[in-house]
Amino acid sequence: MRVALAEDFLLLRQGVARLLEDAGFEVPWQAADAEDLLARVAADPPDVAIVDIRMPPSYTDEGLRAAHDLRETHPQVAVLILSQYVDTDYAFEVLSGEVAGRGYLLKDRVTDLEGFTDAIRRVGAGGSVVDPEVVDALLGRPRERSPLGSLTDREREVLSLMAEGRSNAAIAERMHLSPKTIEAHVHAIFGKLELEPTPDDHRRVLAVLTYLRG
Amino acid sequence: MTRLGDRGLRILATVLFATTLAFAGAAVVLHLLNDGVRSNLEASPLEAPVYLAFPIVGMVLAFRRPRLPFGWMLLVMGFFFVSPLPGYARYAAVARGGELPAGELALAIETPMWVVFVGLSVFLLLLFPDGHLPSSRWRWFARVAAGGFALQYAATLVGPSVSADYGLPGLGNPLRVEGLEWLLASFAVVPVGVVGGAAAMIVRIRRARDPVRRQQLRLLAWSAGVIALLYTMALLPAAFGVPRDSGVSNALGIAAAMSFTLIPVTIGVAVLRYRLYDIDVVINKTIVYGSLAVLTTGLYVAIVVGLGSLIGGGERSVGLSLGATAMVAVVFQPARQRVQRFANRVVYGDRSAPYDVLSHLSTRMTGTFETDEVLPRLARLLGGATGATRVEVWLRVGDRLHLEASSPPREPRAPALALAAGDVPQLPGASFSAPVRDDGELLGALALEKAPGDPVTPPERKLTEDVARQAALLLRNVRLIEELRASRERIVAAQDDERRRLERDIHDGAQQQLVTLSLATRLAQSSLGSDAPAALTDLLERAVEESKQAHAELRELARGIHPRILTERGLPAAIRSLAERAPVPVRVEAEPDGRLPEAIEATAYFAVSEALQNVAKYAEAGSATVSVNHRDGMLLVQVRDDGIGGADPSRGSGLRGLIDRIDAVGGRLEVESPAGGGTRLTVVLPLG
């Protein structure tokens, strides 16, 4: 898989590139700001672009805007945003519109080799990714008498994996259960939470996150 | 009427007025010739000057607004009171024993005059103040009323003689026509007409938007009410069988009749005080003030004489009645002065006692109220005292004058003016301005604007200058407060800027470095291979964990210094992130409405942050709700919880800092926290 990088902090960029190569990805190029990123994508589109949320010149939301722009110009390129903010607002911003091929990871996820590479593969395959720490923070919020309390432990685990953007197949593999079982759990969860079941398991991440946000 | 030019109309008005005076003179002469004998239905010469209010105001109106019917109506109504006809009838019948011609005729013509009077009164109510009916739907009523009055006039004219009521029994009616007595039933038009007229007034008052117009209408309505009341009272003794020429009936009858002068008087007041018909005030002041003086004197005399005769008992001891009159006079003297002052006030408003304004000022300035109210109050008081249409208070800030207050208030605010060589420049639109100085230093200026034709008199100038002197301390205070607020705002803004910079440095610097460090350690660990000693791998694993921990803590630290999400994503998002971190369930209801000024967003955010911290620490709440709304140009932020309440805003340094911040942006904080009933913190912040 061809995975490109856009990050302005030199040492970090080099470290991540090294990590990617060690993990077996091809890193065709690296960019240091949004303009550079868009130009290089146009010249040599990768499968996945890992983009820092803030880059020169304004160091605010260049990464987000680039992700939106790329949706128009190169919809087949998946974008994984790296950010230091746990606030769900940013995750929602990344996933707004089409959720396919979009992901939001916290920067220190790069030290979690397995999780990081798994996320890259998922988003490259057209899925969605939300950093587990963001999901944990959401799930761990104190809530008033909520149907969430009526979920079993297993169902809770399935819910949190759904909120991370995983498909039924991915959840099944991770929990070492059959996809049929997972389907049943999902059905039960949606019933308990009184959520509309979504047609495919790719788009439901937004519905689940919205529910959890309250 | 329309064919005559304005000049022709004015001549006509003068002629009518002169005729009225001539009639009045004739009435006095006849009264003397009759040895002062007269019936209750005739005005005594003592009362007559009072009724001159009708032709006087009528003439003024006919001169100034000849196309309006009211001047003419008042002129005609004036005839009613000064009519010499009954005097002539009496003279012809009694003194000259029927020698003089047309004595009975005179009385016959006089008898139905009251119908004209009442009819015109009703139409006055219907047509005031613009000379048209309230709406076209009233046309049928106007026609019916006019018809009714015409019928009543005709019926009375040709009806049975009532000469006995005039104290002249035995006189016949030369215009008598038999068999039409039933027409007298048209008397019903009187109460119907009066009620209809009153209804028309009420309709107009309710419809009137302009408060000045409402005042004009209310005055007339009030006087109509008084007249009606007095008339009812005058009729009561008759209902109880008290004879018509007893003292009580007499007095009430006089009072009722005199009350009619309220009509021209209130119209006159409306003209003067409330600028009805925009009539030039200067000329009329003398005339109407003169009439006022006459009115008060006349009323005074009438009451004294009436009551005197009531107590004195009429024909009995002259000395007793004189004494009684003298006593009543003494009693009523102070009342007369009060009535005079009251009349002044009614006509001229506060202008009658301008220096009362100054003492008002001193009293009110020592009361405690919002700084924002002080200057507008000053402007209002000065406006009322000088009759100015606008008063402005200018405050000097640096080398410019800013408009701080004006009465009536002005939107949008006028721009600042530069000083002219260190002194007050020409203020646009001002008829007069007085600088406010303290110890030689220019603090600001007071400016008056008056209507053209209403110049600023020397006493008004002096008053303005005196007020300016008193206002010096006031302006100094206001300026200090303004400067204080501005400097607070600057301090808070500077602090916020610093924190933003600090957060950015941490985020972009130290945080990035920590992540890079963890990554490098992880890469090192993974490059060790499977044959590396477990101790080494474990050590590196711990190193990674430690630096991740450090990174997370640094992240939280940076957020505490300044929440980046507030700057980047706005207030609702930042509040949601606060809610996500709260230890109790927090519901957020925020109306997103675009970005707000930085200081406002920061204050609102810190208010919610502080409030939620207090909820976590003290409230023992089950849940909390944060709501953010926009209302009338203000931002309303509320944090409610369902905890134990009893919050004391004076405790807790966090709240102190928040209050300072809220003050700096000109906002307001309220805490409601009944014991056991949860807590509600409300912050109101001005937007733009």
Side-chain angles (χ1 to χ4, degrees), chain B residues 273-284:
Chain B
R273 174 98 177 272
Y274 301 111
R275 317 245 170 224
L276 183 63
Y277 310 139
D278 289 320
I279 286 183
D280 187 336
V281 163
V282 179
I283 301 175
N284 300 333

Side-chain angles (χ1 to χ4, degrees), chain B residues 26-27 30-31 34 37 42 83-93 107 168:
Chain B
L30 284 165
H31 184 85
N34 284 329
V37 176
E42 301 152 62
S83 171
L85 293 172
Y88 178 79
R90 180 185 309 280
Y91 182 66
L107 202 59
L168 300 168

Side-chain angles (χ1 to χ4, degrees), chain B residues 159-294:
Chain B
S161 166
V162 292
S163 63
D165 290 341
Y166 285 91
L168 300 168
L171 290 182
N173 182 1
L175 301 173
R176 182 94 169 86
V177 172
E178 296 289 335
L180 291 174
E181 290 80 8
W182 59 272
L183 277 177
L184 285 168
S186 58
F187 181 81
V189 75
V190 170
V192 167
V194 168
V195 168
M201 287 294 281
I202 291 174
V203 161
R204 269 191 226 268
I205 289 178
R206 293 182 85 179
R207 220 190 275 165
R209 294 291 161 100
D210 176 17
V212 175
R213 175 48 56 96
R214 287 192 132 195
Q215 265 307 91
Q216 295 164 354
L217 290 168
R218 264 201 285 246
L219 269 186
L220 190 62
W222 170 81
S223 57
V226 168
I227 295 172
L229 177 69
L230 284 172
Y231 250 92
T232 319
M233 280 171 55
L235 291 174
L236 280 178
F240 283 93
V242 178
R244 276 190 84 162
D245 51 0
S246 71
V248 170
S249 279
N250 221 357
L252 287 173
I254 293 178
M258 287 222 170
S259 69
F260 269 101
T261 54
L262 280 174
I263 296 180
V265 165
T266 51
I267 294 182
V269 168
V271 161
L272 271 186
R273 174 98 177 272
Y274 301 111
R275 317 245 170 224
L276 183 63
Y277 310 139
D278 289 320
I279 286 183
D280 187 336
V281 163
V282 179
I283 301 175
N284 300 333
K285 262 195 266 199
T286 342
I287 296 177
V288 182
Y289 192 64
S291 325
L292 258 180
V294 167

Side-chain angles (χ1 to χ4, degrees), chain A residues 169-211:
Chain A
I171 299 178
E173 196 185 313
R174 198 173 172 86
M175 291 177 70
H176 307 296
L177 295 169
S178 80
K180 277 276 187 289
T181 322
I182 300 301
E183 255 176 60
H185 280 311
V186 168
H187 193 73
I189 293 169
F190 273 69
K192 283 189 188 175
L193 301 184
E194 290 174 24
L195 281 177
E196 285 284 321
T198 45
D200 71 78
D201 47 8
H202 284 274
R203 284 177 229 288
R204 66 188 173 200
V205 57
L206 211 50
V208 173
L209 282 177
T210 311
Y211 177 87

